[in-house]
């Protein structure tokens, strides 16, 4: 269930669901999702579904990872990307081959530690991880050409808007019980917001869990 053939079937399902970016599809085919789930769930790693990773968190559905990555990359090559919510590290691993540098923050220490081990195992060397409240972003490393969030705030934190570079793109779910995936773009001082589709993410929570 962890073979390349199984991954290729997943990519075929992603194509049928509307993912068109061949570079994103190639990365999805080459990223071993089974590494990012508990061993007991490895047989389900290439189903197009979210799976639990502990601490009330999930590894996102592959379609969602591919869709958010595709939208983020549609503006052209990205040098620096900030990821809010490292979680299992799967989305981080998908971003790694597509951009120059990934900065990823996670508020739950045990998840961050496991993600760090997995990303090292895969020898992905253009990733920096930090234990941090996602609403703070990573100001000392910004501004960022791209920001991608794996949790839904009811209102986008101002710090994240401030850390988006001119011409940058942010892909983030927003809302409470009803959430919408949003594309935020910056043109100078002008912030544009585009609603993309309904989604269902864990809530964007404050504070650190050690």
């Amino acid at each position: 269930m962890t073979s390349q053939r199984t991954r290729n079937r997943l990519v075929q399902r992603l194509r049928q669901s509307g993912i068109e970016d061949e570079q994103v599809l190639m990365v999805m085919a080459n990223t071993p999702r089974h590494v990012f789930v508990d061993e007991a769930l490895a047989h389900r790693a290439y189903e197009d579904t979210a799976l639990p990773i502990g601490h009330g968190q999930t590894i996102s559905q592959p379609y969602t990872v591919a869709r958010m990555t595709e939208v983020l990359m549609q503006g052209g090559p990205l040098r620096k990307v900030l990821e809010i919510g490292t979680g299992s590290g799967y989305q981080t691993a998908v971003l790694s081959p597509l951009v120059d540098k990934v900065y990823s923050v996670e508020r739950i220490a045990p998840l961050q530690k496991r993600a760090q081990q997995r990303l090292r195992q895969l020898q992905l060397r253009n990733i920096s991880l930090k234990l941090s409240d996602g609403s703070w972003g990573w100001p000392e490393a910004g501004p960022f050409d791209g920001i991608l969030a794996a949790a839904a705030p009811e209102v986008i934190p101002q710090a994240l808007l401030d850390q988006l570079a001119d011409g940058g793109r942010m892909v983030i779910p927003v809302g409470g019980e009803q959430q919408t995936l949003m594309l935020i773009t910056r043109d100078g001082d002008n912030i544009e917001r585009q609603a993309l589709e309904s989604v269902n993410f864990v809530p964007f929570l404050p504070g650190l869990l050690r």
Side-chain angles (χ1 to χ4, degrees):
M1 288 302 291
T2 60
S3 69
Q4 190 61 54
R5 186 182 300 173
T6 308
R7 291 185 221 171
N8 291 343
R9 282 201 297 269
L10 170 62
V11 168
Q12 186 58 34
R13 289 196 296 273
L14 294 176
R15 273 203 179 92
Q16 292 167 353
S17 298
I19 305 299
E20 299 178 348
D21 188 314
E22 288 299 326
Q23 198 175 15
V24 171
L25 288 167
M26 183 175 69
V27 171
M28 296 295 290
N30 292 334
T31 303
R33 191 172 185 247
H34 64 276
V35 169
F36 296 94
V37 298
D38 290 341
E39 199 171 328
L41 291 172
H43 66 288
R44 299 189 60 197
Y46 298 99
E47 295 177 12
D48 192 20
T49 187
L51 296 169
I53 57 172
H55 304 275
Q57 306 298 300
T58 60
I59 181 172
S60 292
Q61 177 187 4
Y63 168 79
T64 303
V65 170
R67 172 73 170 135
M68 292 178 74
T69 305
E70 182 177 62
V71 171
L72 192 71
M73 301 301 299
Q74 278 171 351
L78 299 175
R79 194 169 64 88
K80 287 199 300 184
V81 170
L82 172 65
E83 179 192 24
I84 304 297
T86 313
S88 68
Y90 177 59
Q91 173 75 77
T92 325
V94 168
L95 286 171
S96 174
L98 295 169
V99 306
D100 289 351
K101 178 74 176 179
V102 182
Y103 295 84
S104 185
V105 298
E106 172 58 55
R107 60 180 287 271
I108 302 173
L111 290 184
Q112 194 224 16
K113 185 175 181 181
R114 282 206 297 273
Q116 188 172 45
Q117 292 167 345
R118 290 161 173 160
L119 295 167
R120 279 181 182 162
Q121 177 186 339
L122 297 177
Q123 299 185 344
L124 300 175
R125 307 195 187 282
N126 64 334
I127 296 168
S128 292
L129 303 179
K130 183 179 183 181
L131 185 66
S132 177
D133 184 317
S135 63
W136 303 336
W138 198 327
E140 59 271 28
F144 299 97
D145 308 305
I147 299 176
L148 187 152
E154 299 214 6
V155 178
I156 300 172
Q158 185 61 43
L160 299 186
L161 295 171
D162 292 343
Q163 290 169 42
L164 189 62
D166 191 12
R169 299 163 70 83
M170 183 191 312
V171 182
I172 184 170
V174 180
E177 286 188 17
Q178 293 185 318
Q179 301 171 2
T180 303
L181 189 64
M182 302 291 295
L183 170 62
I184 312 298
T185 52
R186 175 183 286 281
D187 181 9
D189 292 333
N190 185 39
I191 300 289
E192 295 186 7
R193 301 164 188 251
Q194 179 185 349
L196 300 176
E197 58 198 70
S198 296
V199 288
N200 183 23
F201 278 81
V202 295
F204 201 111
L205 299 174
L208 303 181
L209 292 178
R210 297 181 184 275

